[in-house]
Amino acid sequence: MRAKGLPQTTIEAVAAQADVPLDQAQAAFPDPVALKLALAQRYRGANNDIFLFALREIASFDDAVHMLQKAFESYFEVFVADGTTRDVWTDLLMDRDLRPSNLAEVVKNAAQVCDVLQPIVPEISRARLATAVEMMIHMSDTIARWAAMREPQAARAMLDEFKHLIALYGADLQARSRRTPLLGTDT
């Protein structure tokens, strides 16, 4: 995968690299989607460990904003350091067979953030909080991939602006949550 890219990664190539019989590799990965999902799960596992560790440091909404900014910066650094990660994530977003897996992962991560944030900001409904966090996760992915393709100075400017956007959005979310929702709804 590292040598030829994700699209050219085949079950046969995996079997050869792992030095196992083809039928054993096919049993583990019965089709290309299974192989791509396994690769994505490998990257997700490492990211999720970092993510869960960072959530432990949150004691306030400001801590959450800071953690999201740090997580975004780390995510970008992984994209720059390992182009394969970028390929896996792009495939997750673009391949219709893989999109449901990506959505489930984002919803799971957003729920973990909401579990930590809800006691800190009880005035924000769970639905609004989940929507905001899911949106920021998706935006972070897009911005990190785009910035990773840029020259270092342009990439840094994008990172700084997006981190600023995270802070602005967090402040706005808090401010709007304290107002009476329009027509008595919380949308």
Side-chain angles (χ1 to χ4, degrees):
M1 181 178 74
R2 289 192 191 283
K4 295 184 180 180
L6 189 58
Q8 284 72 39
T9 302
T10 63
I11 303 299
E12 293 80 9
V14 169
Q17 184 71 28
D19 197 25
V20 298
L22 180 58
D23 61 336
Q24 190 176 351
Q26 289 172 325
F29 310 111
D31 57 46
V33 172
L35 177 60
K36 289 176 184 179
L37 284 172
L39 291 168
Q41 203 53 36
R42 176 176 167 229
Y43 284 105
R44 284 180 181 150
N47 285 341
N48 203 39
D49 290 345
I50 294 167
F51 186 67
L52 289 175
F53 185 77
L55 288 178
R56 297 174 347 148
E57 299 176 10
I58 296 175
S60 70
F61 198 80
D62 288 341
D63 289 345
V65 167
H66 182 68
M67 185 279 298
L68 288 171
Q69 290 170 325
K70 279 178 38 179
F72 171 68
E73 184 92 28
S74 296
Y75 192 57
F76 170 77
E77 293 300 331
V78 168
F79 270 24
V80 169
D82 184 358
T84 306
T85 304
R86 208 167 35 246
D87 292 346
V88 170
W89 254 252
T90 299
D91 241 31
L92 283 169
L93 294 171
M94 302 309 290
D95 187 314
R96 80 179 61 183
D97 295 323
L98 300 176
R99 275 185 243 152
S101 168
N102 188 54
L103 177 60
E105 185 72 11
V106 169
V107 169
K108 180 190 83 168
N109 288 342
Q112 291 170 327
V113 172
C114 288
D115 289 345
V116 172
L117 285 181
Q118 196 68 69
I120 295 169
V121 287
E123 69 278 1
I124 301 174
S125 74
R126 178 69 178 216
R128 173 172 268 164
L129 202 54
T131 298
V133 173
E134 285 182 33
M135 184 182 72
M136 292 310 289
I137 290 171
H138 279 296
M139 287 174 58
S140 295
D141 177 63
T142 302
I143 298 297
R145 283 186 295 115
W146 182 256
M149 295 186 298
R150 307 294 304 266
E151 294 297 321
Q153 186 175 358
R156 173 52 45 201
M158 274 189 161
L159 295 179
D160 292 344
E161 285 304 313
F162 188 69
K163 286 166 44 177
H164 183 69
L165 182 65
I166 291 169
L168 288 174
Y169 187 72
D172 182 66
L173 184 64
Q174 276 190 303
R176 286 186 297 141
S177 71
R178 293 186 180 109
R179 295 184 202 140
T180 304
L182 187 63
L183 301 176
T185 62
D186 188 21
T187 57

